[in-house]
Structures are given as C-alpha cells and as structure tokens.
Amino acid sequence: MNTIDTILGQIAQQHLGLETLDTRHRDSLDFYDLAVWNLRAALAAAYRAGQQNQPNQRVHFIDQRGRRRSGQLQGWRDGKAVVLLASQCTELVAPADLIQE
C-alpha cells in the first residue's frame, strides 16, 4: 500500500467511519450513507494532508483587507494555514482565502 492509500484510508476511518476503501464487490459493503458534514471534514483533512506534504510551498492568499499577499506555507493550525510573510511575521489564513495558481 502506498502513502496516499494509507493517508486516505486513515481519513476514511477517522472522518467517515469506513473500515476500508477497498472494493469488496457487495453493495452493502461498498456503498454508504454519509452526512455532508462528515464528507466535508474528510475532504478538508485530505486537502490539509496534501498541503502538509509540500513544506515551504509558496502560497498566495487574500488578507482581511482584501489585499493579495504571498508567503511560505509553514503548516496548519486549527484548520488554517500558517503562512510566513516576508516581514518574518506569520498569518493564519483560512483555506477559502488561499489562491490556487
């Protein structure tokens, strides 16, 4: 099993209560009813896992004043990105404020 399968399996167990992501060829084992908030939590965890696998990645975001800013992604805290700015200050950025390029 590769790293991505391991990470996705852990997310599925933790956030969705799924035993495995392996196909088992039985409807009762392969199809689930899920609450949207659990699905959202799983997707957010997968997004954070992807970001954490790219240390010191340059990110762009919109700050609270609506200005475009950029810095180095340092990690995640309380569901927000910790971004190191050129001024050596850090800023917590909500995932929705990150700009994909």
Side-chain angles (χ1 to χ4, degrees):
M1 185 176 291
N2 65 31
T3 303
I4 193 166
D5 290 336
T6 301
I7 292 170
L8 292 176
Q10 290 170 346
I11 291 169
Q13 289 174 352
Q14 184 177 35
H15 295 280
L16 304 175
L18 304 182
E19 182 181 324
T20 181
L21 290 177
D22 295 333
T23 302
R24 296 184 279 179
H25 305 287
R26 291 187 57 198
D27 288 353
S28 63
L29 298 175
D30 291 337
F31 292 91
Y32 300 92
D33 286 324
L34 301 169
V36 294
W37 52 87
N38 290 342
L39 184 57
R40 184 184 191 291
L43 291 170
Y47 179 84
R48 285 192 303 274
Q51 292 294 323
Q52 289 171 350
N53 284 329
Q54 299 179 28
N56 297 319
Q57 172 190 3
R58 187 137 189 94
V59 294
H60 307 282
F61 63 96
I62 303 297
D63 71 9
Q64 294 177 345
R65 295 182 179 170
R67 298 176 298 182
R68 182 186 169 103
R69 312 267 317 262
S70 62
Q72 297 291 326
L73 179 65
Q74 300 295 299
W76 292 86
R77 182 173 50 209
D78 299 326
K80 295 185 177 181
V82 179
V83 179
L84 178 64
L85 305 174
S87 63
Q88 299 301 308
C89 296
T90 58
E91 185 161 338
L92 291 177
V93 180
D97 293 330
L98 294 171
I99 300 170
Q100 298 294 331
E101 294 189 339

